[in-house]
Amino acid sequence: MLEEYNWAGNLRYSAAEIAQPATVEELQALVAAAPAVRAVGTRHSFNDIADSAGLMVNLEKLTGTPVLDEAALTVTVPAGIRYGDLAGFLVERGYALHNLASLPHISVAGAVATATHGSGNRNGNLATAVAALELVTADGELLQVDRSSPDFNGMVVSLGALGIVTRITLDIEPAYEVRQDVFTDVPWSSVAENFDEITSAAYSVSIFSSLAGPNASQVWLKSRTDAELPYAGKPDFFGGTAAVEPMHPLPGISAVNCSQQMGVPGPWSDRLSHFRLAFTPSNGDELQSEYLMDRRFAVEGIEILRGMADQIAPLLQVCEIRTMAGDDLWLSTNYGPDSVAFHFTWKPMQADVEALLRRMEAALAPLRPRPHWGKLFTLQRPQLQELYPRFGDFSDLARRMDPQGKFVNSFLTRTVLG
């Protein structure tokens, strides 16, 4: 067995072999011959979603130049490309994506398959930009689908259950600039009273906190310069004050690896992510969890979690609160209503974190929280199927496309397919 680990080092993969096909044809042959196979990308998942009891395929060698279609306003990319590298390609040609996740280091295919997101009341998650997919199915055939295809909305956020994606076509738009302003010590009372106003104050908004104490420690506003900038350059924000130096989300940590702040306008590619592509994206060993729910429950969710602050604080590095628009992708954590997300960066104490997650999930249960598919959670299929109206449709689709269960692993058995 190979000694291969995920990005955080908290999971050793159980695959007996990892292959790196150099061509799509080679990938097709590998998939057709393997009794069990999964794809692995940049390994920035904290659970066993990418693991396989048999073969794992790494698509790093399936490279190629992105193909720009300026008439259709799309770009088609190899599935393993990182968002930061794609952003660089687009900026050079005067185009942009609608959003980026916190880290530009993650692969497009992995982010799409797990409904990974950025922030912004009116911004859908990254998967909502997908206009077409190419994937290798269980029999080794190459399948191409787009928004006109039956079941397309069930195939985008796929958790790797339907095949191995090789190419993705994304919507793009003309390039734009963003400025980033940071405010500190916004009172929780003000957050509760003005949550919608705070999260709509910029194109993308993040609230960082330990959940303890009277104030949220930081609010990051990412404002497009081609839109109204009501809080850009202001000295105060809903009771908080403008930062006087660049900030890292974690207290006492240098902001050198964070994206440009202090209201300096620049390309979207250098502002929408929290961290720079050229730098190590975190403060070291960590675990992550995230729960998303109807945005109407945002304040109630904050109150529940702040009520557990004494339990959360010993394990927490930072909590980030973000919002995003709802969508119609079957297993998207944003399916249906507009959402609020509570993201937790934990200390590397997995047993303690998982015990806490069970208590958090029980406390949040009335708000119907959906866990991020690529992060730590303890909910299983009986609970999860109640949270997604198209859950059964996805299960049926997976069984039709993969009747022998070639792409099924322990994660999918535990959470979706039974």
Side-chain angles (χ1 to χ4, degrees), residues 266-348:
W268 63 276
S269 56
D270 295 335
R271 301 295 188 275
L272 289 180
S273 291
H274 294 335
F275 298 95
R276 302 175 193 261
L277 180 64
F279 287 81
T280 302
S282 81
N283 188 40
D285 291 339
E286 65 184 51
L287 301 172
Q288 293 183 11
S289 300
E290 186 170 35
Y291 296 92
L292 299 93
M293 62 192 71
D294 190 318
R295 195 183 302 165
R296 295 176 301 162
F297 302 143
V299 173
E300 189 174 351
I302 291 171
E303 292 173 350
I304 291 172
L305 293 169
R306 280 181 38 76
M308 300 180 68
D310 59 336
Q311 302 176 57
I312 293 172
L315 302 177
L316 184 68
Q317 295 194 48
V318 72
C319 173
E320 180 182 6
I321 303 171
R322 290 176 285 183
T323 59
M324 59 284 310
D327 60 57
D328 56 3
L329 305 176
W330 296 358
L331 285 192
S332 167
T333 43
N334 310 112
Y335 182 92
D338 296 339
S339 302
V340 61
F342 296 91
H343 183 278
F344 301 88
T345 301
W346 304 108
K347 298 174 184 177

Side-chain angles (χ1 to χ4, degrees), residues 33 56 64 90 100 107 115 132 136 148-149 158 170 182 201 253 267 273 283 305 308 313 326 331 357-358 364 382 405:
M56 293 179 72
L90 292 174
L100 292 172
S107 70
V136 175
S148 68
S149 304
S158 68
L170 301 171
V182 177
I253 304 298
S273 291
N283 188 40
L305 293 169
M308 300 180 68
L331 285 192
L357 293 180
R358 292 186 181 91
L364 292 169

Side-chain angles (χ1 to χ4, degrees), residues 138 161-163 397-408:
L162 308 180
L397 176 62
R399 292 188 174 96
R400 291 200 310 271
M401 292 188 64
D402 182 21
Q404 302 303 315
K406 179 172 293 193
F407 300 115
V408 178

